[in-house]
Amino acid sequence: MTSSLHKFRGHILKCSVTSVLRRFKVTMATSGISPDQETTRVSTAVSNRPISTLVEPTAPKRQQSSTNIHGKELVDHYAWLKDKRNKDVLQYIGQENRYFQSALAGTENFQQILTQEIYQNDKVPAGRRPEVVGDFVYYQKHGGNPLPIYCRYRKGQPEEEEVVVDFNIIAAAYQQPFVNILSLKISPSQKHVAVVIETPDSDIYYAQIWKIGKPSPITAQHLLQHAHNHEDGKCSHNTCGHEHHHDDHEHGGHSHEETTTKSTNTASGDVNEQLQIIYNVFSVEWGSDDTLFYTSSKNYTANQVWKHQVGTSITNDVKVFEEQSDRYFVDISKTKDRKYLTINSSSRSSSEVRIVDCDIEISSPLFIQPRQDGVEYFIEHNHGTFYILTNCEGAKDYKFMKVPSDSALTAEHWQNVYSPEPNTKVIDMDIFDKFCVLLLKMNGVPTVKILPLDDPVDGKTVQLPSFASTLDPRENSDFTSTNYKFTMSSPCLPNVDCELDLNSGQLKESYIDGSHSNYKCERLHAVSKDGTKVPMTIFYKSDSQVDRSRPMLVHGYGAYGKDLDMEFNPGRLTLLNRGWILAFLHVRGGAELGRQWYYDGRLDKKHNSFEDFEACVNHLHDAGYSSHALTAGYAVSAGGLLLASVCNRSTELLKAAILKVPFVDVLNTMVNPSLPLTTQDYGEWGNPLQDDKMFDYIRSYCPYQNIKEQLYPSMLVTASLNDIRVPFWTPLKYVAKRRHLMTPQDNSLLLYQFNPGAGHADDDGHEQTVLEYTFLYKALDYQWNNHKALGLPME
């Protein structure tokens, strides 16, 4: 059974651990975190002190650290903040955290109201259509639990329910409010399930394998025992490979030894047959019978593929493939007909695929097409034909090709099947027995294309509702099915389960309650500095007046060829209901308008992203949607680089900004190739060590390098202890330098929020959203002073 992690989307848009793995994040309504020993130590040092009156922290001491590159001096006065054992570092983090808490003191009533509204908007569909796989029917239920339980029954026997995965047990094992499931795969015999889970130490993944049975064969105690063995270094053959005392990596505080990934079994009786855990795993796929293939990692990059026989010792595992280049990330997937395992090696700009015949006991990987710079391709298989999605021959936004499996497989033998229309890009493909389904974006708007494999010319384009912003394929594991299942959502619409009849092209919708009609969606364009039209998507409540009196939250990302996130979350709906305008700015560097749109916002064209953002906000102000005094920006990770750069460049554009785990020191990161993710990112930002001009170019826009003694918007900057992609000290250095250069006239808020128990993409769910929105209201003074003067809660 395939997982909800769809194989091609990750390859086309993203090629590293920072983004290939799409998270399935299940959030619990409760709180309570049991951090590891390191987290506990840091948390205690920075948090457990009384909150006093609002006293802004003093900028920490400056200690010059310099490097000479291309004859130019690169100075960093706050590099010393990387050492989380330094008492001065802990003291400064403590000051910043207490200032953050005291800045929001007195807003408890408002936070309570926001919390209630967000939970009311946290709509869960009434149910999901079951998925039929062979003799079993798979489905989800809650049954009074905070997290879903994935179950099944044999056809015709619904009373004989079996638990496949209970997410509550996994969350309880780590006493976490949520659990990140990267993939879930059922074995061909449907006896076992393999689940890839992110551990509480962010970006450390492992696979769990257990038998499917009734009731759930695994308990939280079993999983917790494995976790303790892992943390204590008791994994067999030094499986963990973690050195928690290392601070040498810009992308995090862990070091992985160059060892083979191993697994351990639980120590008690029959559970030995039930549970195995393999550490440092990024992706898994079942072969024939109960053989599991998995990728293992080195320096947070998957570079090896191993073959494991369930129930046998991990020491007997066979290495199938090893990638030699640290610029390539290895992912594995299974063709829809279950015949081939594909080993996909992908960089930022090229890829190559090897295949393993799952019907052959011992099969060596076979090349499809050797890697070629600038050429990407991804394959499927159907009835003796390989189908290929590729950008070869100048097809920047991909085309659909094929080649017989019994002929030569290299690119010169590929035959064209379908090329998209102008201004259309292929996002994803799925193969069925008689059809191919392509997910497209036409002028940035999502749509679906159905191609009959026996007559691709007779394809059907399915128009989706205008409010649809995001499409996500569901499992679609039945190769013979004539129905395609996917979810559709937008900032004003929770995930809607949809089913598409591949014969007629008719769309079946379910669980739409009509509430989306209370909101308007507009698609606009702004003209950037070089004359390029930049698309925007705007949402607001239908009964809201579009004038300068409405607050507006603008979102941007513009990196890694990734579309800006416009999925539903209940916090966004809460703002819409309160009269806010939500604007999504599709700047260059993203992929909304295709690969060229991405290429025009990376490397030595990165300034286009900043100019696009500025043009969009100015256009919205000129059109009367809002005003400078009521406009805030919101960005995450690499989007934080975009937003922080704009704040350096255009100080009057925004009144406030939320920078979540922002990548604000790109220059110091990219000049250090020993960091685990740097070399993979050369294709995105450039290599300033080898290229003098690229060094100067990155230096010209790097947010940390360009902080000035000038006025800035109010800012909330967040960081997490376990973040290996943007470690806590990167935002901390940014805030420290901002404080040092703050002018006496600057009365804006500058807040640093340190989370000792989270990673790059983790937070405390709705609680974190409430804090962020409270900051926005306070920073914009929106309805704040009037209510405060009257002694009323913010309503």
Side-chain angles (χ1 to χ4, degrees):
M1 184 176 187
T2 57
S3 76
S4 58
L5 171 64
H6 201 265
K7 46 196 166 190
F8 293 103
R9 178 179 304 247
H11 299 321
I12 291 177
L13 298 183
K14 321 149 199 177
C15 304
S16 78
V17 65
T18 65
S19 49
V20 161
L21 300 174
R22 182 175 177 271
R23 291 163 182 262
F24 172 26
K25 183 172 180 178
V26 188
T27 305
M28 220 167 156
T30 59
S31 61
I33 295 176
S34 176
D36 60 19
Q37 183 177 1
E38 177 66 19
T39 301
T40 302
R41 188 182 65 80
V42 176
S43 176
T44 302
V46 303
S47 300
N48 294 344
R49 298 176 187 176
I51 298 175
S52 57
T53 57
L54 185 62
V55 178
E56 188 169 347
T58 303
K61 61 186 177 182
R62 287 155 52 91
Q63 296 181 0
Q64 180 165 325
S65 173
S66 62
T67 307
N68 191 286
I69 302 173
H70 305 300
K72 303 163 188 177
E73 189 177 23
L74 179 60
V75 177
D76 187 353
H77 290 100
Y78 297 104
W80 66 275
L81 291 175
K82 294 167 62 173
D83 184 5
K84 60 178 175 248
R85 281 163 196 76
N86 187 316
K87 291 182 179 179
D88 291 339
V89 174
L90 296 176
Q91 182 179 12
Y92 177 55
I93 294 175
Q95 290 176 2
E96 289 288 356
N97 242 25
R98 290 193 299 277
Y99 178 56
F100 165 72
Q101 296 173 53
S102 61
L104 299 187
T107 66
E108 290 78 12
N109 287 340
F110 180 46
Q111 291 185 39
Q112 184 176 6
I113 293 170
L114 275 181
T115 300
Q116 293 172 351
E117 292 177 6
I118 290 174
Y119 274 105
Q120 289 172 359
N121 291 326
D122 195 359
K123 301 175 181 178
V124 179
R128 302 194 72 170
R129 290 188 179 96
E131 183 83 7
V132 179
V133 183
D135 294 332
F136 289 94
V137 178
Y138 290 83
Y139 58 97
Q140 283 187 13
K141 70 173 187 178
H142 276 76
N145 295 288
L147 303 183
I149 303 172
Y150 195 44
C151 303
R152 77 176 186 186
Y153 61 83
R154 193 174 292 274
K155 287 180 182 177
Q157 302 176 25
E159 69 282 355
E160 297 294 324
E161 180 180 86
E162 295 181 327
V163 173
V164 179
V165 178
D166 188 338
F167 297 112
N168 300 277
I169 289 177
I170 298 174
Y174 295 102
Q175 298 177 305
Q176 294 288 322
F178 54 80
V179 57
N180 285 342
I181 305 295
L182 300 179
S183 64
L184 184 155
K185 304 291 175 71
I186 306 295
S187 67
S189 64
Q190 300 193 60
K191 295 178 182 177
H192 294 95
V193 59
V195 182
V196 179
I197 301 171
E198 182 180 11
T199 68
D201 289 325
S202 177
D203 293 305
I204 307 301
Y205 310 102
Y206 63 91
Q208 291 183 2
I209 309 166
W210 60 75
K211 287 184 178 180
I212 302 173
K214 50 174 188 175
S216 178
I218 306 304
T219 67
Q221 287 74 21
H222 294 145
L223 298 183
L224 192 58
Q225 182 60 49
H226 276 281
H228 286 323
N229 288 344
H230 181 54
E231 292 167 2
D232 295 341
K234 298 177 182 177
C235 306
S236 64
H237 304 281
N238 194 19
T239 64
C240 303
H242 303 317
E243 297 286 338
H244 290 279
H245 58 274
H246 264 264
D247 283 322
D248 298 333
H249 297 314
E250 179 76 14
H251 294 280
H254 304 291
S255 172
H256 288 256
E257 295 179 2
E258 196 169 344
T259 60
T260 301
T261 306
K262 307 293 181 183
S263 74
T264 54
N265 294 336
T266 50
S268 58
D270 58 353
V271 181
N272 274 321
E273 301 176 4
Q274 301 280 9
L275 175 67
Q276 287 184 296
I277 293 183
I278 310 175
Y279 291 103
N280 302 336
V281 170
F282 284 111
S283 58
V284 296
E285 277 290 356
W286 293 98
S288 58
D289 300 322
D290 291 325
T291 299
L292 185 73
F293 293 90
Y294 61 91
T295 61
S296 64
S297 64
K298 172 187 175 183
N299 289 336
Y300 307 105
T301 299
N303 68 320
Q304 296 177 343
V305 178
W306 291 80
K307 183 179 179 181
H308 172 70
Q309 190 70 34
V310 174
T312 67
S313 171
I314 197 74
T315 58
N316 298 326
D317 287 4
V318 177
K319 183 162 63 174
V320 177
F321 170 74
E322 181 169 10
E323 173 60 56
Q324 299 301 321
S325 172
D326 58 4
R327 293 182 57 207
Y328 283 76
F329 183 91
V330 178
D331 180 48
I332 55 176
S333 59
K334 199 81 172 285
T335 57
K336 188 69 169 286
D337 61 2
R338 314 297 299 172
K339 182 172 177 56
Y340 293 100
L341 177 83
T342 66
I343 301 174
N344 313 286
S345 294
S346 302
S347 73
R348 294 287 181 204
S349 59
S350 64
S351 66
E352 70 180 5
V353 179
R354 293 168 172 83
I355 57 173
V356 176
D357 191 331
C358 295
D359 294 332
I360 300 176
E361 180 72 20
I362 301 177
S363 177
S364 299
L366 175 67
F367 255 129
I368 298 292
Q369 164 68 30
R371 65 188 63 171
Q372 180 180 342
D373 190 41
V375 175
E376 299 168 287
Y377 71 97
F378 318 98
I379 71 165
E380 259 290 4
H381 183 264
N382 178 308
H383 296 305
T385 299
F386 284 114
Y387 288 95
I388 305 145
L389 202 59
T390 180
N391 67 347
C392 73
E393 300 176 348
K396 290 182 179 178
D397 293 318
Y398 296 90
K399 60 182 178 179
F400 187 47
M401 306 186 78
K402 68 179 182 180
V403 64
S405 60
D406 59 358
S407 70
L409 301 179
T410 49
E412 61 266 25
H413 300 283
W414 299 352
Q415 306 162 30
N416 190 55
V417 178
Y418 167 79
S419 295
E421 295 80 4
N423 302 315
T424 300
K425 70 164 186 170
V426 181
I427 303 173
D428 218 334
M429 79 169 175
D430 203 345
I431 293 288
F432 293 84
D433 186 27
K434 296 181 180 180
F435 296 94
C436 172
V437 177
L438 297 177
L439 298 188
L440 310 175
K441 276 204 171 179
M442 304 178 69
N443 294 309
V445 180
T447 189
V448 180
K449 185 86 171 183
I450 304 171
L451 298 178
L453 293 177
D454 60 352
D455 187 11
V457 177
D458 188 29
K460 298 181 179 71
T461 300
V462 181
Q463 297 299 326
L464 302 173
S466 59
F467 56 80
S469 301
T470 303
L471 303 183
D472 281 313
R474 286 192 57 198
E475 293 83 1
N476 293 300
S477 54
D478 185 356
F479 179 65
T480 63
S481 177
T482 57
N483 292 308
Y484 177 72
K485 300 175 183 178
F486 63 98
T487 60
M488 179 172 58
S489 71
S490 79
C492 64
L493 179 73
N495 284 343
V496 175
D497 275 344
C498 299
E499 192 168 314
L500 183 63
D501 187 315
L502 299 181
N503 285 306
S504 67
Q506 294 298 309
L507 180 65
K508 306 172 186 178
E509 300 173 14
S510 61
Y511 312 126
I512 296 183
D513 59 9
S515 61
H516 64 278
S517 61
N518 297 327
Y519 309 91
K520 287 187 177 180
C521 172
E522 297 181 1
R523 301 183 190 276
L524 310 175
H525 289 83
V527 179
S528 194
K529 184 177 180 180
D530 63 357
T532 300
K533 288 186 176 180
V534 183
M536 301 174 281
T537 308
I538 315 299
F539 292 89
Y540 58 92
K541 212 163 186 295
S542 299
D543 58 4
S544 295
Q545 294 294 322
V546 176
D547 56 36
R548 298 180 185 277
S549 66
R550 294 292 176 182
M552 181 168 65
L553 186 61
V554 296
H555 303 72
Y557 188 75
Y560 297 110
K562 178 182 177 183
D563 289 2
L564 179 59
D565 172 24
M566 291 200 297
E567 293 183 350
F568 173 83
N569 74 50
R572 288 173 173 172
L573 188 57
T574 298
L575 289 185
L576 287 171
N577 289 338
R578 285 176 157 264
W580 284 67
I581 295 170
L582 301 185
F584 297 85
L585 316 182
H586 309 297
V587 304
R588 281 173 282 185
E592 286 85 351
L593 296 187
R595 295 296 278 180
Q596 191 60 49
W597 196 252
Y598 165 44
Y599 297 152
D600 287 343
R602 66 169 187 167
L603 298 174
D604 60 355
K605 296 182 179 180
K606 191 61 199 172
H607 276 92
N608 287 337
S609 303
F610 316 138
E611 293 168 1
D612 290 355
F613 190 99
E614 292 161 350
C616 288
V617 177
N618 283 323
H619 177 91
L620 293 171
H621 288 168
D622 293 342
Y625 282 88
S626 188
S627 63
H628 154 74
L630 291 174
T631 301
Y634 186 98
V636 180
S637 193
L641 181 153
L642 167 72
L643 186 53
S645 295
V646 167
C647 291
N648 281 338
R649 292 162 48 100
S650 302
T651 59
E652 296 299 320
L653 195 66
L654 305 170
K655 181 69 172 179
I658 294 178
L659 304 172
K660 295 196 68 171
V661 290
F663 185 42
V664 286
D665 192 7
V666 58
L667 185 57
N668 276 314
T669 299
M670 298 311 296
V671 297
N672 190 346
S674 68
L675 309 179
L677 303 178
T678 293
T679 56
Q680 288 186 28
D681 273 351
Y682 284 155
E684 181 70 23
W685 312 106
N687 186 345
L689 280 180
Q690 294 185 359
D691 189 333
D692 183 15
K693 292 182 179 179
M694 189 56 67
F695 178 90
D696 291 337
Y697 188 78
I698 295 175
R699 194 175 205 173
S700 73
Y701 70 77
C702 175
Y704 180 65
Q705 301 295 325
N706 289 278
I707 296 173
K708 303 178 183 69
E709 192 173 331
Q710 63 184 17
L711 296 180
Y712 278 87
S714 291
M715 287 186 178
L716 170 59
V717 183
T718 75
S720 299
L721 176 66
N722 295 325
D723 192 344
I724 68 165
R725 305 175 201 177
V726 180
F728 76 90
W729 63 77
T730 299
L732 187 65
K733 292 195 307 177
Y734 175 83
V735 170
K737 189 172 181 180
R738 276 280 332 270
R739 290 215 186 280
H740 174 70
L741 294 175
M742 287 185 80
T743 66
Q745 298 79 23
D746 191 346
N747 59 0
S748 64
L749 279 173
L750 175 59
L751 305 179
Y752 174 83
Q753 182 194 15
F754 174 76
N755 190 333
H760 188 67
D762 300 337
D763 52 42
D764 293 325
H766 296 339
E767 179 184 350
Q768 177 63 24
T769 301
V770 167
L771 293 174
E772 292 168 5
Y773 289 178
T774 302
F775 160 78
L776 288 179
Y777 269 87
K778 193 160 187 176
L780 298 183
D781 287 332
Y782 181 62
Q783 299 179 348
W784 190 270
N785 291 327
N786 290 339
H787 284 74
K788 187 175 180 181
L790 296 173
L792 299 175
M794 289 292 297
E795 295 180 331

